[in-house]
């Protein structure tokens, strides 16, 4: 079968027409309404006779609290590639209701570079995140019941690792006690909630390659320890089948489209500052058989999602990027100068938007740092300048020159937000040109290193730290995981997205700091060790004025003010 061209289009099409345009049969995509569908399980393995397309990963410099249009740029780039004659699919994460109702708003793009149907994708979509939430909390209930009834293996109540989750930012649930005041004398437990996007099941959903792989990963999740220090897994609780039943449909990637009809696979949604931050392996494996270029996106900056893309997702998928795209904006670069006071949940100050070449020069050390990080992974890198209408041309020209001088393999402006695919053709051409260069992808550490050595490698080689400060509690956890044979796993560091360091106040390119590791968790099912650096929380708080306060529904049922 061959892909039938016809992108971009002026209007989105029905899911059955999109299926045909991809050269797929009706049995390959199950419709979920007029413009959403789920791929059949195993579709990626049915397409292996087709040539494999090139994988392009979109990342960014450290952002302002409002974000800098990375998703818009990824969507625009995919549409731009189609416009200049190269078939393309964009693979993205599913939006979490945490940022949707919090600070950043939705994750379906915006302006003339957005996904369709945006409101449904931003809210309940096909129910994948709800399934993750329900399965996580079912497991928590099964663990509590197992302990309270004294069933074997006997779990040490003080050594339960599994936490509940919720897809809403609710800081009051970070630390809770359950079973309080129960009339049946049910046991009280100290526990807490993570955001669903930070849960291990979400990470697993994004990394699983098949239903059998999902089952295996769920079965080996370590939920607790016995009083003798032995790990207790989901399989030990005989809960694997129940969780698999809840997640089998969520494992199937979701097919939608952009506002110009470019196909999009939107699946899984782990955060990049507190999880591995990349969309699903299954979506990428299918997409590379359906198009010449697959544009995917890693959350936040190259120090967060892109580092985890290289070390965790690429190892799980077997795919490697042909090109990295590094998104920046003039305002984000100026913010990194440290000369402007910006607070999450508040509008950007007018002085940040004013012409200031000195601030651009000072803040460009952050752009240079991210280019240096990506160069270490050996992948050709194109800098995408996401232009805003009030940007100053001399500032943009200075950014272009700095990027070229630092070794970027291409620089292009993007105005996809305002102009759709026509505003991303220069970027698309730059990506195609960079894709002709050899990708010498490599990881920065081997899994044979100790966990502390892997953590130190990321801290020093990616963040620029002088070294690690591991708390006694974290060291004890590392020692336990080493004794149990988990020291061969890659590492996933949770830290702030606003700085290359653990401290959101250290802007630009911080030097002379050490990375504090306060806690290390085991994600045996996902297949990594999960370190918390600095003050990062796995259940974020809402701002003083949440985005939820502006959302409304008109008399015709249309949602208003959903960013």
């Amino acid at each position: 079968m061959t892909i039938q061209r016809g992108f971009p289009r002026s209007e989105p099409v029905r899911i059955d027409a999109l299926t045909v345009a991809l050269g797929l049969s009706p049995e390959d995509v199950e419709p979920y309404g007029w413009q959403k569908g789920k791929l059949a399980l195993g579709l990626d393995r049915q397409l292996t006779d087709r040539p494999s397309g090139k994988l392009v990963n979109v990342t960014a410099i450290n952002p302002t609290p409002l974000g800098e249009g990375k998703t818009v740029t990824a969507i625009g780039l995919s549409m731009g590639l189609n416009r200049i004659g190269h078939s393309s699919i964009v693979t993205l994460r599913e939006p979490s209701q945490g940022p949707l109702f919090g600070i950043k708003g939705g994750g379906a793009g915006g302006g003339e570079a957005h996904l369709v149907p945006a409101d449904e994708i931003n809210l309940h979509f096909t129910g994948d995140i709800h399934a993750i939430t329900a399965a996580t909390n079912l497991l928590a209930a099964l663990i509590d019941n197992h302990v309270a009834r004294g069933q074997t293996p006997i779990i040490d109540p003080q050594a339960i690792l599994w936490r509940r989750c919720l897809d809403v930012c609710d800081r009051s649930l970070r630390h809770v006690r359950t079973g309080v005041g129960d009339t049946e004398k049910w046991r009280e437990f100290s526990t807490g909630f993570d955001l669903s996007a930070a849960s291990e099941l979400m990470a697993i959903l994004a990394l699983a390659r098949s239903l059998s792989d999902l089952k295996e990963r769920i079965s080996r999740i370590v939920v607790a320890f016995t009083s003798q220090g032995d790990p207790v897994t989901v399989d030990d609780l005989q809960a694997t089948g129940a969780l698999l039943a809840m997640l089998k449909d969520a494992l199937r990637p979701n097919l939608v489209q952009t506002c110009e009809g470019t196909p999009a696979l939107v699946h899984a949604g782990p955060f990049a500052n507190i999880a591995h931050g990349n969309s699903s392996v299954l979506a990428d494996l299918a997409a590379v058989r359906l198009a010449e270029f697959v544009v995917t996106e890693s959350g936040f900056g190259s120090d967060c999602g892109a580092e985890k893309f290289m070390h965790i997702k690429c190892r799980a998928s077997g795919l490697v990027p042909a090109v990295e795209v590094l998104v920046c904006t003039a305002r984000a670069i100026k913010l990194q100068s440290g000369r402007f006071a910006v607070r999450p949940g508040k509008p950007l100050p007018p002085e940040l938007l004013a012409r200031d070449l000195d601030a651009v020069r000072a803040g460009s050390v952050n752009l240079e740092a991210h280019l240096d990080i990506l160069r270490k992974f050996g992948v050709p890198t194109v800098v995408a300048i996401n232009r805003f209408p009030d940007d100053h041309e001399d500032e943009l020209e200075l950014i272009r020159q700095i990027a070229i001088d630092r070794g970027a393999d291409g620089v292009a402006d993007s105005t996809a937000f305002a102009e759709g695919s026509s505003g991303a053709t220069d970027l698309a051409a730059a990506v195609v040109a960079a894709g002709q260069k050899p990708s010498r992808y490599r990881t920065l550490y081997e899994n044979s290193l100790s966990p502390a050595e892997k953590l130190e490698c990321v801290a020093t080689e990616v963040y620029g730290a002088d070294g690690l400060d591991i708390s006694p509690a974290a060291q004890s956890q590392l020692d336990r995981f080493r004794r149990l044979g988990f020291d061969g796993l890659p590492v996933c560091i949770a830290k702030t997205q606003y700085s290359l360091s653990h401290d959101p106040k250290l802007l630009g390119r911080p030097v002379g700091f050490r990375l504090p590791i306060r806690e290390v968790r085991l994600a045996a099912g996902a297949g990594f060790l999960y370190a918390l650096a600095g003050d990062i929380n796995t259940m974020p708080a809402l701002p003083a004025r949440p985005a939820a306060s502006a959302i409304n529904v008109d008399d015709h049922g249309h949602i208003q003010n959903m960013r």
Side-chain angles (χ1 to χ4, degrees):
M1 293 181 291
T2 58
I3 298 174
Q4 297 182 28
R5 300 306 309 281
F7 312 113
R9 300 185 179 96
S10 59
E11 294 290 338
V13 299
R14 285 175 29 148
I15 193 67
D16 51 354
L18 186 64
T19 298
V20 170
L22 286 170
L24 298 174
S25 69
E27 292 74 26
D28 293 328
V29 179
E30 179 185 359
Y32 269 56
W34 296 115
Q35 293 182 327
K36 306 190 298 284
K38 272 194 171 290
L39 301 189
L41 277 177
L43 179 61
D44 60 298
R45 297 190 296 276
Q46 298 174 29
L47 301 173
T48 53
D49 59 330
R50 299 189 184 190
S52 184
K54 292 183 176 181
L55 185 62
V56 178
N57 185 52
V58 179
T59 185
I61 68 170
N62 294 104
T64 70
L66 298 179
E68 296 311 304
K70 182 156 50 63
T71 303
V72 164
T73 302
I75 294 170
L77 170 58
S78 189
M79 297 193 305
L81 286 164
N82 275 311
R83 178 173 281 276
I84 66 172
H86 297 276
S87 64
S88 177
I89 294 177
V90 61
T91 61
L92 299 171
R93 290 169 296 159
E94 298 183 46
S96 165
Q97 293 180 16
L100 173 68
F101 295 123
I103 294 177
K104 289 182 64 178
E112 297 304 313
H114 66 270
L115 299 176
V116 175
D119 289 348
E120 294 178 35
I121 294 169
N122 276 326
L123 285 170
H124 307 290
F125 200 17
T126 57
D128 295 345
I129 297 182
H130 297 324
I132 290 287
T133 304
T136 298
N137 295 334
L138 169 63
L139 180 54
L142 292 172
I143 295 166
D144 286 0
N145 184 65
H146 182 96
V147 174
R149 297 189 182 280
Q151 296 172 335
T152 56
I154 302 297
I155 289 175
D156 178 359
Q158 304 305 315
I160 297 174
L161 307 179
W162 195 252
R163 292 162 60 88
R164 290 164 168 80
C165 74
L166 187 70
D167 195 38
V168 175
C169 294
D170 190 347
R171 67 182 303 162
S172 65
L173 296 178
R174 287 175 180 171
H175 307 286
V176 301
R177 287 189 65 79
T178 60
V180 176
D182 192 289
T183 57
E184 296 181 12
K185 307 297 184 184
W186 209 249
R187 191 155 191 165
E188 291 187 16
F189 293 99
S190 294
T191 184
F193 282 74
D194 296 331
L195 200 66
S196 298
S199 68
E200 184 173 0
L201 285 180
M202 178 63 82
I204 287 173
L205 185 75
L207 295 173
R209 293 174 60 107
S210 64
L211 190 62
S212 59
D213 186 26
L214 177 64
K215 182 178 182 179
E216 168 60 27
R217 288 175 178 273
I218 291 172
S219 72
R220 68 176 188 242
I221 295 171
V222 175
V223 300
F225 293 98
T226 66
S227 57
Q228 290 77 36
D230 298 323
V232 179
T233 66
V234 170
D235 222 31
D236 292 329
L237 302 181
Q238 300 180 348
T240 302
L243 299 188
L244 188 66
M246 298 189 75
L247 296 176
K248 67 178 183 66
D249 288 332
L251 182 63
R252 300 161 59 193
N254 305 294
L255 174 63
V256 289
Q257 61 193 297
T258 73
C259 53
E260 293 187 5
T262 295
L265 291 175
V266 182
H267 192 217
F271 276 3
N273 58 342
I274 51 179
H276 70 74
N278 288 273
S279 59
S280 80
V281 164
L282 272 179
D284 286 356
L285 289 173
V288 295
R289 301 294 182 174
L290 293 169
E292 296 174 67
F293 286 89
V294 175
V295 180
T296 192
E297 173 198 2
S298 295
F300 293 122
S302 69
D303 56 318
C304 286
E307 179 268 316
K308 296 164 186 176
F309 172 80
M310 302 291 189
H311 283 138
I312 297 174
K313 186 180 181 183
C314 288
R315 281 173 163 144
S317 70
L319 301 175
V320 298
V323 181
E324 282 283 334
V325 174
L326 180 64
V327 178
C328 67
T329 61
R331 65 186 195 177
I333 287 175
K334 288 189 286 186
L335 174 63
Q336 289 297 322
S337 70
R339 302 178 181 185
F340 306 95
V342 173
R343 296 177 60 189
K346 300 287 185 180
L348 297 178
E351 55 269 24
L352 179 65
L353 307 179
R355 180 180 178 275
D356 191 336
L357 291 173
D358 287 340
V360 171
R361 293 187 186 94
S364 287
V365 295
N366 188 261
L367 171 63
E368 293 172 342
H370 285 280
L371 279 168
D372 291 348
I373 290 169
L374 295 173
R375 184 181 297 112
K376 291 180 180 181
F377 289 104
V379 181
T381 301
V382 172
V383 172
I385 303 175
N386 183 28
R387 293 190 61 154
F388 287 76
D390 53 359
D391 281 346
H392 306 279
E393 183 55 42
D394 52 354
E395 289 184 346
L396 300 179
E397 182 55 36
L398 179 57
I399 294 169
R400 296 184 196 106
Q401 191 58 54
I402 290 170
I404 291 296
D405 290 345
R406 201 64 179 190
D409 295 279
V411 181
D413 294 359
S414 174
T415 54
F417 183 91
E419 300 176 313
S421 62
S422 62
T425 54
D426 289 346
L427 176 59
V431 167
V432 172
Q436 303 305 311
K437 299 181 179 181
S439 175
R440 296 184 174 88
Y441 160 82
R442 59 183 175 272
T443 57
L444 302 187
Y445 63 76
E446 297 298 326
N447 282 337
S448 57
L449 295 177
S450 71
E453 289 172 321
K454 285 177 276 201
L455 290 169
E456 184 157 15
C457 176
V458 175
T460 57
E461 294 295 318
V462 178
Y463 307 158
D466 291 339
L468 294 178
D469 288 329
I470 301 177
S471 73
Q475 186 60 59
S476 177
Q477 290 156 348
L478 285 173
D479 292 342
R480 167 180 269 185
F481 301 147
R482 176 184 53 78
R483 289 194 304 270
L484 294 171
F486 293 110
D487 50 338
L489 299 177
V491 294
C492 180
I493 301 177
K495 74 172 192 72
T496 182
Q497 68 270 32
Y498 297 125
S499 168
L500 284 165
S501 75
H502 62 285
D503 184 348
K505 296 178 182 178
L506 295 179
L507 302 180
R509 189 171 194 168
V511 296
F513 71 95
R514 296 178 64 82
L515 186 74
I517 302 296
R518 77 171 196 268
E519 181 181 352
V520 180
R521 300 177 184 176
L522 172 62
F528 53 74
L529 294 174
Y530 177 25
L532 276 64
D535 297 327
I536 192 72
N537 276 296
T538 52
M539 171 55 83
L542 289 169
R545 182 174 171 79
S549 62
I551 295 173
N552 207 340
V553 179
D554 66 20
D555 292 340
H556 303 287
H558 300 134
I559 299 175
Q560 300 172 321
N561 304 323
M562 185 181 290
R563 297 200 303 264

